[in-house]
Amino acid sequence: MNQHLKKLLPMLDVFGIFERDPFGNSMLVKRIIMIVLGWITYSRLRGINKTRISGTEHLEGLPNEGVLFLSNHQTYFMDVICLYHIFFSVKWGFRNSVNFPIYLFAPRSKVFYVAASETMNEGGLIPRVFSQAGAILVNRSWREKGKDVKKEVDTAAEDKVGKGLSYGWVVSFPQGTTTPYAPLRKGTAHLIKTHNPIVVPVVINGFRRAFDKKGLRFKKRNTTLSVTFKEPIRFDKDMPTEEIMDILRDKIEQKIPVQKLVWLRDKE
């Protein structure tokens, strides 16, 4: 009897009321949170600030799962929120635009983002609510409470991200920090070699000027926020880790500029 019910419920559940993601979370709850947060944050992208988007034509033919978006990082939350808005808009057929918030009535729900457990669990109520919108929580082994540390590597992190990729799209920030030009974490290259996702490089700018570090408070209004999606990449599984990292560093524009290298050398 139980087996028959398990087969019947998905057929009847056209609205996804009983649907759960690979981590056991209710998709209905996730959709509700996405809609509410979408309406709350929309004015931060349109009105208070302006958002300039390019490259969403690269997203239009992507499969519904197995896609990894890799971006530079400027705030804890607003980067992800903006990308979510764009994903929703693309689902509705809009290109390079978040001008028409009707997309919030039916957002793309099979989307996840990688976040540090410390940030989401120790930052109060708002981060915990945000985590319900698709956070894949991982334990950072190199940083804790704003300080560089050395801890045991979270070996389960890659499996968690792999689960997200098997179900939908995943956003990750390979630098693992909002510090500009920080080195990329090697775990990103290992993840790509193991799960072979389609990789979409993303470059964002303006978020650090507009918002505080968390992305919840304004620093400067009337700022232009820019998001650029680069052409998708399918890496060869046999490509060396360092070569993958060099390509990614170039694509998300996080190679240290020559003038900065000269300044750092003179400082030494």
Side-chain angles (χ1 to χ4, degrees), residues 146-245:
K147 297 180 180 179
D148 293 333
V149 297
K150 286 186 178 181
K151 297 192 298 184
E152 194 171 322
V153 175
D154 183 4
T155 55
E158 189 175 304
D159 292 336
K160 292 178 184 177
V161 178
K163 278 186 178 182
L165 286 169
S166 68
Y167 190 72
W169 293 358
V170 176
V171 176
S172 183
F173 303 97
Q175 292 168 291
T177 175
T178 56
T179 303
Y181 307 114
L184 274 62
R185 313 310 303 183
K186 289 185 178 180
T188 300
H190 292 306
L191 173 72
I192 291 171
K193 290 169 71 69
T194 300
H195 297 282
N196 194 29
I198 295 173
V199 176
V200 180
V202 186
V203 179
I204 65 171
N205 201 9
F207 292 81
R208 188 177 287 111
R209 288 192 298 273
F211 306 103
D212 67 354
K213 192 171 185 177
K214 289 186 176 181
L216 300 177
R217 298 178 183 276
F218 292 107
K219 282 172 57 180
K220 184 179 180 182
R221 296 170 184 254
N222 298 316
T223 299
T224 297
L225 311 174
S226 69
V227 181
T228 302
F229 295 92
K230 304 287 186 71
E231 190 172 350
I233 306 170
R234 202 73 186 247
F235 286 97
D236 188 328
K237 287 186 177 182
D238 297 324
M239 183 178 289
T241 297
E242 290 300 329
E243 187 175 348
I244 292 175
M245 292 179 67

Side-chain angles (χ1 to χ4, degrees), residues 6-38:
K6 287 180 180 179
K7 292 180 179 179
L8 182 62
L9 284 176
M11 295 172 63
L12 297 176
D13 188 23
V14 293
F15 296 107
I17 296 173
F18 301 105
E19 185 182 1
R20 292 189 176 275
D21 68 16
F23 308 100
N25 302 311
S26 168
M27 291 299 291
L28 176 63
V29 172
K30 180 178 179 179
R31 289 185 180 102
I32 292 171
I33 290 174
M34 283 179 160
I35 291 170
V36 173
L37 289 178

